[in-house]
Amino acid sequence: MRMSRFFLRTLRNVGEEIESVSHQLCLRAGLIQMVSSGHYNFLPLGLRVLRKAENIVRQEMDAIGSQETVMVQMMNKELLEESGRWDAFGPVLFKLRNRNGHELCLGPTHEEPVTFMARAFVQSYKDLPVILYQIANKMRDEPRARGGLLRAREFVMKDAYSFEADEQSLDNTYNAMREAYFKIFARCGIKTMIIEADTGAMGGKSSNEFMVVSDIGEDNIIICDSCNKAMNQEMAPFDKTFNVYSETSEAAPEKVHTPDIKTIGDLAAFLKVRPEQCLKHVMYNADGALVIAIVRGDLEVNDVKLTNRIKCTDLDFAAAEDLAAAGIAAGFASPIGVSESIRVILDDSVIMGNAYVCGANEKDYHMKNIVPGRDFPKHVEIADIAMAAAGHKCAKCDDLLRVEKGIELGHIFKLGTRYSVAMNANFTDEDGREKPMIMGCYGIGVTRLIAAAIEQHHDDNGIIWPKQIAPFQVHVIQVGKKNPELDAAADALYQEMLDAGFETLYDDRNESPGVKFNDADLIGIPVRLVVSARTMKDNVVEMKLRGEADRSTPPREGIANTVRAALDALA
RNA sequence: CGGGAAGUGGCGCAGUCCGGUUAGCGCGCGUGCCUUGGGCGCACGAGGCCGCGGGUUCAAAUCCCGCCUUCCCGACCA
């Protein structure tokens, strides 16, 4: 591609408010253009990268026997109602109506359409297992788009779905997928780590996420180095036997005046006790019902664990009016005396201890000597609803946990029969009985992967593309005042690169060397070749690898082989 | 959803407090000359419903009200 004809304009600067490096470089290098918040046009240069990544994904999916499809982008309400997700997705769904007033949504993920396909065409165990996938746009009305391609409302995802006759078959597919994912990320030049994850809104059993460790990541990864194990903070268990305040007390509850003391920190300081001697109450609105979550004062409530425990779809903090109506004093809350109709979830850390400070359900008063087993109402439920954090103890060994931020690039689930049961996707087994298909689902954020690759591979001057997803392999630059002789030499080199099968970008513009070199660094193509009066005189070509500082001047003769060897040597 | 900040040629910004020349600057763009190993120089030029709507005023980019859009922070407070 001749740059003089290429639909590309690099930018010298972008707005100061654009913080993440990948976002800046995507814009400056002319990969993408924002149309509105969370929605991006892919420019020709960016599309080349996207296609590279997609093809790597496609090859590895095909290699394990997955079959590519393209599914509907617009899903009718009835389809999502079969699984219950029309409502469960909530505000994330982009909803619209057709001319008949029929309700539709833009696909945020495709379990329903793929199950629709499978139930129509899979009849017998002989048809199983089958893996279907697509590489397509996903539309989600994210509460807050950010970071350019890192979190967009419209993004490219590879989503694969497997249908199995039994658990063993699911395990086989799951393992094959996991291996395929390792290959995909490695081929894209991205270092990832696999962690254990929550299954979230998708439902299902076990799942793993593939994370890129990065400061701009939005997920917290809890890591135990001794166990060599990593988990998403959303579901990470931990050993709560530290900080237990186990001093027993036979004393009766005692009301204490705590004027305007609402936070655990203030309360502990005021009463000269430790935070872990206090109980932290967080009141939630779970699908319209008031729920009280209680954890030890030194811990935090984990929303995801709580959501899973109470099996709600929509969890939010309770409104002040709801608290007042239930007779709960905000800041001085207690489950004592509340209606049995209000669920109270007590973190299991609490019952390890004994006497606590708790709210009195009366403004400016707390209670001392509260022993949950003795004083709390009988309907409290005990569960793990606390958030693991750095410095907490590992659930399996004595080591302390640490935390890294991560970008989620891939997620694989063992779904089980959640969708097949809901949607009647059955098959006839060897024994002649009808059974629901067992499912797995496997996603990769392809556009996010591009952003993550840039986060991992750049310097002050621009992107340093891993060769497998680079938009071009070779960048030929003509340096020096244009003249017929130089033009001919540069054209010839360009043509030779094309003939040798290299995807080649050719800077034939009438620009100063500085402009060309800076654009080359910004765009980040692995091999740069310069043709100038100098190189012509010596009958050489100047070659520089984007990821290395040194240049070389191999002979002009046989340059295609030299370039091939250089590319082959790159990781 | 809450809290901040911002919308001015294609891009990045100043001007707005304190209303009053022809709305500036850098980059980019066009033409010509010049230059050609790290975002070159000179000259001339084109390009603006100052986010949208309403109001105040002799007069609004500037003041007031409403709306829209975008960015950042918080989503953990009981």
Side-chain angles (χ1 to χ4, degrees):
Chain A
M1 173 61 67
R2 287 176 180 266
M3 280 183 85
S4 60
R5 302 301 313 152
F6 197 30
F7 190 80
L8 170 72
R9 163 148 285 126
T10 57
L11 304 177
R12 293 205 179 182
N13 50 34
V14 292
E16 286 172 21
E17 72 280 0
I18 293 170
E19 294 189 332
S20 76
V21 175
S22 60
H23 192 188
Q24 287 175 18
L25 290 176
C26 279
L27 293 170
R28 286 188 51 215
L31 268 46
I32 59 171
Q33 175 197 28
M34 188 178 92
V35 178
S36 67
S37 179
H39 301 271
Y40 292 85
N41 281 335
F42 264 79
L43 303 171
L45 186 67
L47 183 63
R48 294 185 73 98
V49 178
L50 179 59
R51 292 286 183 251
K52 289 287 180 72
E54 287 176 351
N55 282 331
I56 290 171
V57 170
R58 187 171 280 120
Q59 286 162 13
E60 297 299 337
M61 285 297 105
D62 292 346
I64 59 169
S66 309
Q67 300 178 59
E68 189 168 6
T69 68
V70 175
M71 293 178 235
V72 289
Q73 290 282 15
M74 295 166 66
M75 305 178 185
N76 52 309
K77 182 180 182 181
E78 292 76 7
L79 182 65
L80 288 205
E81 281 180 333
E82 288 193 45
S83 65
R85 292 207 299 178
W86 180 264
D87 293 320
F89 262 116
V92 172
L93 274 191
F94 279 113
K95 293 179 180 173
L96 59 150
R97 289 175 188 272
N98 68 11
R99 67 172 71 199
N100 297 324
H102 200 104
E103 287 189 274
L104 303 154
C105 69
L106 303 179
T109 172
H110 283 71
E111 280 77 6
E112 289 85 359
V114 80
T115 305
F116 186 88
M117 262 195 291
R119 78 177 169 195
F121 297 107
V122 172
Q123 310 291 340
S124 154
Y125 72 96
K126 295 173 190 168
D127 299 325
L128 297 175
V130 61
I131 311 173
L132 300 169
Y133 77 101
Q134 65 172 351
I135 299 172
N137 279 352
K138 292 283 176 283
M139 264 71 80
R140 296 181 188 173
D141 195 353
E142 292 285 346
R144 186 175 154 204
R146 69 188 94 183
L149 297 181
L150 282 171
R151 180 173 293 279
R153 296 198 166 91
E154 187 175 350
F155 58 98
V156 176
M157 182 170 168
K158 184 283 299 180
D159 47 326
Y161 307 86
S162 72
F163 298 86
E164 325 275 351
D166 56 50
E167 295 286 342
Q168 179 60 47
S169 176
L170 175 62
D171 288 347
N172 292 344
T173 302
Y174 191 87
N175 291 336
M177 277 288 172
R178 188 172 58 208
E179 294 312 308
Y181 274 39
F182 280 126
K183 285 183 191 167
I184 288 166
F185 297 126
R187 285 182 62 184
C188 291
I190 300 172
K191 284 196 194 70
T192 58
M193 69 189 293
I194 186 167
I195 71 170
E196 292 179 30
D198 178 65
T199 50
M202 306 297 165
K205 298 175 181 173
S206 63
S207 82
N208 289 104
E209 288 170 338
F210 289 77
M211 308 289 292
V212 169
V213 173
S214 165
D215 287 341
I216 63 167
E218 298 182 274
D219 288 289
N220 288 323
I221 307 168
I222 301 285
I223 300 166
C224 176
D225 292 313
S226 298
C227 299
N228 197 21
K229 204 167 176 116
M231 291 157 289
N232 195 306
Q233 188 179 37
E234 291 179 342
M235 52 73 74
F238 61 105
D239 184 336
K240 297 167 184 168
T241 56
F242 66 100
N243 277 354
V244 169
Y245 187 74
S246 56
E247 195 173 302
T248 55
S249 172
E250 303 301 323
E254 179 191 343
K255 195 161 155 183
V256 288
H257 187 53
T258 51
D260 210 33
I261 303 286
K262 293 185 176 182
T263 67
I264 295 294
D266 291 348
L267 183 64
F270 184 80
L271 294 178
K272 297 188 170 51
V273 298
R274 297 203 300 269
E276 54 268 28
Q277 277 175 268
C278 305
L279 294 182
K280 182 179 290 186
H281 297 64
V282 186
M283 273 66 75
Y284 290 91
N285 179 335
D287 297 339
L290 187 62
V291 171
I292 303 176
I294 305 172
V295 297
R296 217 167 60 196
D298 60 321
L299 302 174
E300 301 290 343
V301 176
N302 181 324
D303 284 358
V304 175
K305 287 184 181 178
L306 181 64
T307 301
N308 289 340
R309 167 66 196 194
I310 61 184
K311 294 185 168 50
C312 66
T313 56
D314 197 19
L315 189 73
D316 208 345
F317 295 115
E321 309 87 75
D322 295 341
L323 296 188
I328 294 168
F332 307 92
S334 163
I336 298 174
V338 303
S339 161
E340 279 191 27
S341 64
I342 295 172
R343 285 181 81 174
V344 179
I345 317 293
L346 191 65
D347 185 61
D348 52 15
S349 62
V350 174
I351 56 167
M352 295 172 184
N354 192 282
Y356 293 93
V357 176
C358 177
N361 261 346
E362 183 180 339
K363 186 169 165 24
D364 295 339
Y365 286 95
H366 279 83
M367 302 291 290
K368 293 202 311 193
N369 302 327
I370 292 291
V371 179
R374 178 189 69 188
D375 301 320
F376 276 4
K378 289 200 181 64
H379 75 284
V380 301
E381 304 165 47
I382 294 162
D384 170 24
I385 56 166
M387 183 89 85
H392 287 169
K393 251 184 75 183
C394 175
K396 297 246 170 71
C397 75
D398 285 334
D399 205 1
L400 298 185
L401 301 169
R402 67 185 175 89
V403 176
E404 296 275 7
K405 286 193 171 299
I407 302 168
E408 178 189 346
L409 289 192
H411 202 160
I412 56 179
F413 299 88
K414 290 182 186 174
L415 279 178
T417 56
R418 172 176 179 338
Y419 295 93
S420 49
V421 166
M423 295 181 64
N424 265 321
N426 301 321
F427 68 100
T428 306
D429 206 350
E430 281 175 289
D431 54 15
R433 281 205 300 242
E434 193 165 82
K435 295 176 183 171
M437 291 179 243
I438 298 172
M439 293 174 60
C441 97
Y442 319 90
I444 291 178
V446 183
T447 39
R448 180 180 281 180
L449 178 154
I450 293 168
I454 296 171
E455 289 289 337
Q456 278 191 357
H457 302 285
H458 68 271
D459 63 15
D460 289 345
N461 297 321
I463 303 168
I464 305 172
W465 286 115
K467 67 175 175 184
Q468 292 258 36
I469 56 172
F472 296 89
Q473 285 124 41
V474 179
H475 195 163
V476 172
I477 301 180
Q478 175 181 345
V479 164
K481 187 174 171 60
K482 281 181 89 70
N483 67 67
E485 203 186 349
L486 180 62
D487 287 351
D491 284 357
L493 179 62
Y494 172 51
Q495 191 58 50
E496 192 172 330
M497 289 300 110
L498 292 180
D499 292 344
F502 298 119
E503 294 170 297
T504 306
L505 185 63
Y506 171 29
D507 198 341
D508 60 337
R509 298 175 300 170
N510 192 15
E511 291 284 356
S512 73
V515 170
K516 293 184 175 183
F517 287 138
N518 277 300
D519 275 346
D521 287 346
L522 180 57
I523 295 168
I525 295 167
V527 176
R528 186 184 88 185
L529 301 178
V530 171
V531 180
S532 67
R534 225 189 266 172
T535 65
M536 286 168 65
K537 178 169 69 69
D538 297 341
N539 203 24
V540 296
V541 175
E542 178 188 293
M543 181 167 82
K544 180 180 176 299
L545 302 182
R546 178 60 182 90
E548 294 174 14
D550 298 334
R551 306 166 192 179
S552 59
T553 47
R556 174 67 181 79
E557 181 80 24
I559 188 65
N561 287 334
T562 311
V563 168
R564 195 179 312 282
L567 275 168
D568 288 347
L570 287 175

